[in-house]
């Protein structure tokens, strides 16, 4: 059990004393932007916001919070969408990484960079590009999310099928532990089997085991050729058949393979005449394909030959002939994501199943959803090369808040039941946080829970760090 | 502290009772092949050898050993070379995985297979190939090592620069815990962010945290083109400059980039007329390059163009025009490894440094070695695309056993001191086991040790599993 935070005034004085100028925010208006996440769906007022400007400040802060049993929650760009970094209302000190945002080093020879946790992903990506490299973590929120959050949530995105999840890109970490000690695991070695690989424990732990303050990340050669196509297909099944062939035909040079069902394309088309139906006819399923590489092979030829050899599957398609055309094709994907909720709330899911079962999963999940809630509008898209689908649900226009809540609960239960049937995951990319916690705990087996609780107890014995995320609140042990 | 094993006779009767026919070996002659590792350098007589044939038998065995505080050491193919799987002489029950060697499933659509821990790597690779896929863990011992050992040691090898370490290829694990409970983390999902990724804790833990009984592994499309070249270069520096260009020029299709110094080539040449000097002249450094991919690009053209564009670095070279020629080029590498010790003992090192520092590291380490021990013969080769070098040391012919021991100690200390100077790792691929333990503990910081000990205590509270590997013996906690 966490103690109730001690007298707030003395806590605030103590924290202010260990942070450099402007490091502690306590005024209501200053706290607003640390209180609500990117989606706007999740809200929690911090007790205060601490913004350490260095590892030393972070260490002093945590030493104090540990000694006084003050609950803290590290916060990056608030784009995780599962409520992990939003404060438990009025009860937690938010530790923002935003002032630790430097790029400490970058080496194109080592294909590596060392970045502080508060660095915005897009800034890190730009620095890599300035060195003829890429940092291949890529997704919609990249202009807002921060590296520490990417590491803490093991972020996915568009390019996982080529470059892996964030976990696969981490060479080393610097972490401030719950008790304020600094674990220095920063290194750019590509192979290192000295004992337990402790960084793996922190990656994806959603801030519950330590506060990542810097990461050494793998870079890749910046591609000199990028080829993009949008193709229309008869079904999700055909999309998956195309993927199986693309893995072989495109020599591991496939950088993205994004499925969008017709409904998603229609959402973008509502933008008006700049976004006409992208192909001459409408198709049930679309795939956005990207391949990339260096200058000594002909990627355009490869992609065209591949598509020509798949004409039994591909009904129609466009291959972008300029970078601008390619970007326009990607806009069909991006605008759909932004506009899918019509400006209101919608249910996000983020599920995965084995690739071989993805087509059947989509068919079954959409069927069950339609049976249960014919009034709901599903929007279905995803990184299908990874078996990852976002099967989202938009409520009918004009529905009241309470009815929407009920719809979401019902729809999620239907979708998750199908996920369970296919041995899938209810959280492929976004983690558990607080939003997925109930569904997670309902499904977790006691051995897994016990091992997880053992790690939590070893790394954060007083349970002050992101308490109640992933594992249940207060003490993970209470929930065995 | 582990209890001294209880009365051996009653222990043996108990274990025999829970294993199916032939599951327990106790006769001296039966124990021989479980007593000595692949190198012949490391020896330890097991108290008995238990060979469970199923997860259920493994679970019952561990439940008993946990209850009775019997020390056990899981054993795969005994090819790890750091003494992790060899018994503490006369004091441990070896748990051999060899009877759990089935391939449970294989799906080319999921690009995944599920294999039991006792399956020999080469058998798993063949099964993948029969499905037009590859399991890309590749190294000399692949005909002897077993999947469980590959996972437990996070094995590396030739193809890490393209496909990653074993860790990067694991999708899921089944593990029998120290207390006999079964952790079922087997799954072929490619993305799954449900809470802590517990499999990461077991991977690379060298049998100290649980016994891996099965693994779900990533497969890749079987390449339809493989192109191989051997090139001669003026220096290690030029080899690393060539690597930097190859990463860009070869579009991530580089499957191997193996450095061999002239001395290594000469070892193979001693085989006689079948292995002439491979190029018209002798060069200080050689690199074996392999690229691979599918059929829609021209890899031969890519490799030839790449080499033509690097003629400022490449002094001479051969590009294999048949598979047989390619295999012959690889033999220069393989025979060197087999013959480097002239049939006697030699010092193996397995170090890594940042790629940008590898050339300087090799220069400095060879210099220091020559200063300290001009009588020693260094043999230097490695997976330099990963910053990983095996800088081995062969004693002068006719040297006595004690003098050899002294030479090895001195040479290792010299090499490791240079590794330290470059911020490198004293164990890139092979782990710590018992052989590297002293050097490891001398270098480890107290925070790392404390976190590692916390995990050990949480996963194996009675310290019965591979006690004294990685962390010091008896109780990890004693060594803080």
């Amino acid at each position: 059990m966490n103690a109730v935070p001690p007298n707030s005034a003395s806590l605030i004085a103590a924290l202010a004393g260990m942070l450099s100028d402007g490091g502690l925010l306590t005024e209501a208006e200053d706290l607003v932007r640390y209180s609500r996440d990117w989606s706007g769906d999740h809200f929690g007022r911090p007790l205060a916001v601490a913004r350490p400007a260095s590892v030393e400040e972070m260490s002093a802060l945590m030493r104090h919070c540990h000694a006084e049993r003050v609950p803290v929650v590290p916060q990056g760009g608030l784009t995780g969408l599962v409520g992990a970094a939003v404060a438990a209302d009025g009860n937690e000190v938010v530790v923002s990484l935003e002032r630790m945002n430097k790029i400490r080093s970058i080496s194109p020879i080592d294909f590596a960079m060392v970045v502080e946790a508060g660095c915005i992903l897009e800034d890190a990506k730009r620095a890599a590009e300035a060195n003829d490299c890429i940092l291949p973590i890529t997704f919609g929120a990249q202009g807002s999310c921060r590296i520490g959050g990417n590491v803490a949530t093991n972020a996915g995105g568009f390019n996982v099928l080529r470059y892996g999840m964030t976990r696969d890109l981490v060479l080393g970490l610097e972490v401030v532990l719950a008790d304020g000690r600094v674990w220095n695991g920063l290194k750019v070695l590509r192979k290192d089997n000295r004992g337990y690989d402790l960084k793996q424990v922190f990656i994806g732990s959603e801030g519950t085991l330590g506060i990542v303050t810097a990461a050494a990340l793998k870079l890749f050669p910046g591609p000199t050729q990028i080829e993009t196509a949008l193709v229309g297909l008869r079904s999700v099944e055909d999309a998956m058949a195309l993927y199986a062939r693309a893995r072989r035909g495109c020599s591991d040079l496939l950088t993205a393979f994004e499925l969008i069902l017709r409904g998603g394309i229609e959402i973008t088309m509502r933008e008006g005449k700049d976004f006409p139906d992208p192909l001459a006819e409408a198709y049930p399923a679309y795939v956005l394909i990207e391949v990339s590489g260096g200058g000594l092979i002909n990627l355009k030829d490869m992609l065209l030959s591949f598509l020509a050899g798949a004409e039994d599957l591909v009904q129609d398609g466009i291959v972008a002939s300029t970078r601008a055309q390619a970007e326009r094709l990607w806009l069909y994907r991006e605008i759909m994501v932004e506009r899918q909720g019509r400006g209101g709330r919608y249910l996000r899911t983020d599920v995965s199943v084995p690739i071989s079962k993805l087509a059947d999963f989509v068919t079954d999940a959409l069927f069950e959803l339609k049976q249960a809630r014919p009034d709901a509008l599903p929007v279905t898209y995803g990184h299908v090369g990874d078996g990852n689908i976002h099967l989202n649900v938009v409520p009918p226009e004009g529905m009241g808040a309470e009815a929407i809540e009920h719809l979401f609960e019902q729809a999620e239960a239907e979708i998750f039941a199908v996920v369970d049937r296919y041995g899938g995951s209810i959280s492929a990319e976004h983690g558990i946080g607080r939003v997925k916690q109930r569904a997670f705990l309902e499904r977790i087996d006691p051995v897994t829970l016990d091992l997880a609780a053992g790690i939590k107890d070893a790394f954060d014995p007083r349970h002050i760090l992101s308490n109640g995320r992933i594992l249940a609140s207060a003490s993970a042990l209470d929930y065995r």
Side-chain angles (χ1 to χ4, degrees), chain A residues 135-185:
Chain A
L135 171 62
I137 311 171
T138 306
F139 48 79
Q142 66 191 35
S144 306
C145 67
R146 297 175 193 268
I147 294 293
N150 299 149
V151 171
T153 61
N154 185 28
F158 297 134
N159 298 343
V160 171
L161 78 177
R162 171 80 168 266
Y163 299 107
M165 301 286 277
T166 298
R167 181 184 301 279
D168 301 299
L169 304 173
V170 176
L171 294 168
L173 290 180
E174 176 188 85
V175 180
V176 173
L177 303 179
D179 62 8
R181 288 180 299 167
V182 179
W183 179 65
N184 184 355

Side-chain angles (χ1 to χ4, degrees), chain A residues 375-458:
Chain A
D375 56 337
L377 172 70
V379 182
T380 307
Y381 57 94
H383 321 299
V384 293
D386 313 311
N388 180 194
I389 275 277
H390 299 295
L391 203 164
N392 296 344
V393 178
V394 182
E397 285 187 84
M399 185 178 256
E402 212 171 307
I404 288 179
E405 275 310 317
H406 180 65
L407 166 63
F408 287 178
E409 252 175 62
Q410 216 182 339
E412 191 179 73
E414 293 292 345
I415 294 166
F416 285 3
V418 185
V419 171
D420 292 342
R421 222 152 73 207
Y422 282 97
S425 168
I426 60 158
S427 185
E429 298 191 311
H430 287 277
I432 300 300
R434 296 191 297 181
V435 174
K436 300 275 174 73
Q437 190 186 60
R438 200 183 67 188
F440 171 64
L441 293 176
E442 280 169 7
R443 287 165 175 79
I444 198 171
D445 67 286
V447 178
T448 299
L449 190 55
D450 207 38
L451 293 174
I455 292 175
K456 176 71 174 172
D457 288 344

Side-chain angles (χ1 to χ4, degrees), chain A residues 193-213:
Chain A
N193 271 343
R194 284 177 294 176
Y196 305 159
D197 190 358
L198 294 173
K199 67 177 179 289
Q200 303 297 344
V201 179
F202 298 107
I203 299 168
S205 70
E206 301 185 37
T208 64
L209 300 178
I211 301 182
V212 172
T213 51

